[in-house]
Amino acid sequence: MSKIEDIIARMEALEKELAEEFEQVGAQTRYTIERKKVHFTREIIRQHKLLAKKWSAYVYESGFLMILTIPVIWGAVIPALLMDFTVSLYQLVCFPIYGIPRVRRGDYIVIDRYALSYLNWIEKLNCVYCGYFNGLLGFVREVAARTEQYWCPVRHARTPKATHSRYHRFLEYGDAESYRRRLETVRRQFDDLRDKRG
């Protein structure tokens, strides 16, 4: 195993450990998840409702300048919806032709904070926005990562600050011989994704 593969294996193990720790923390705050729906104990719901801030107080405390930014923030929803539709259609049409496993949108776009009783309706709406927008960007990034693996799986000379999930499979920058010899193999290396769908 190369040093890069070893580092990736350790990172994957740490990501799994982190996900398990998040689940344990969730269990400590007394909620369960059944069929993708979160359930709190009655006592927790009662405590949450006591901590909810009235929406009028929330707006007042936000301040005038913050309120002025609302059209700018919410104006981004229109291009986001267009991007969502375009990327979803793109992978629906192109991925089967390329032999790339499709990205499950629901693995990235998670909207569940609206069910929290300690949030007022404005906070819930904001949480829906953030869950959708950040999830959409993760979804789009994964579609782009799989596309890049198929069409141009070559690492950059300067490693980007944040690399995507497929980058470690790419060929070394400047290694023309390896590129010509291994391109077809690398562009079909999606077995790890097929195994996870199992």
Side-chain angles (χ1 to χ4, degrees):
M1 184 183 291
S2 74
K3 187 169 183 179
I4 291 173
E5 290 169 334
D6 180 50
I7 292 169
I8 290 165
R10 285 186 284 149
M11 285 172 53
E12 288 173 349
L14 284 172
E15 286 173 355
K16 183 179 178 188
E17 184 181 338
L18 181 61
E20 289 169 357
E21 187 61 27
F22 280 140
E23 286 180 22
Q24 285 183 357
V25 170
Q28 291 168 5
T29 56
R30 293 181 268 176
Y31 71 79
T32 57
I33 301 173
E34 296 169 18
R35 296 185 188 163
K36 296 184 181 181
K37 189 170 170 88
V38 179
H39 299 279
F40 286 98
T41 64
R42 283 193 179 121
E43 177 58 23
I44 292 293
I45 292 171
R46 188 187 68 71
Q47 290 173 12
H48 284 180
K49 287 182 178 180
L50 292 173
L51 294 170
K53 182 181 277 194
K54 290 188 178 193
W55 71 268
S56 54
Y58 179 80
V59 170
Y60 179 77
E61 290 171 10
S62 294
F64 181 69
L65 289 176
M66 198 156 317
I67 291 168
L68 284 179
T69 65
I70 291 171
V72 177
I73 292 168
W74 283 93
V77 167
I78 295 166
L81 291 169
L82 182 61
M83 181 169 58
D84 191 353
F85 174 77
T86 303
V87 171
S88 295
L89 180 64
Y90 159 73
Q91 79 157 347
L92 182 70
V93 172
C94 299
F95 276 19
I97 294 168
Y98 306 150
I100 300 173
R102 284 192 26 217
V103 179
R104 289 181 45 196
R105 202 172 156 274
D107 288 348
Y108 294 86
I109 300 175
V110 178
I111 299 173
D112 59 4
R113 291 178 275 195
Y114 66 88
L116 296 169
S117 302
Y118 57 87
L119 300 178
N120 64 48
W121 71 269
I122 295 173
E123 291 171 311
K124 289 178 182 186
L125 189 61
N126 288 342
C127 284
V128 167
Y129 176 95
C130 290
Y132 173 71
F133 218 99
N134 283 293
L136 176 64
L137 294 177
F139 166 69
V140 169
R141 184 170 195 193
E142 184 61 20
V143 170
R146 294 180 191 190
T147 300
E148 186 177 23
Q149 180 178 339
Y150 185 85
W151 286 109
C152 42
V154 177
R155 293 183 186 142
H156 295 282
R158 290 182 307 114
T159 303
K161 183 172 182 173
T163 59
H164 55 65
S165 68
R166 311 307 297 168
Y167 192 78
H168 66 278
R169 298 178 177 279
F170 288 15
L171 300 160
E172 286 301 322
Y173 183 87
D175 189 350
E177 214 176 283
S178 183
Y179 178 80
R180 287 294 165 218
R181 189 179 73 251
R182 296 190 52 226
L183 175 62
E184 286 306 315
T185 302
V186 172
R187 67 171 21 169
R188 307 245 180 252
Q189 262 181 347
F190 291 104
D191 290 343
D192 61 310
L193 299 174
R194 291 182 183 97
D195 293 343
K196 286 179 185 175
R197 288 184 306 177

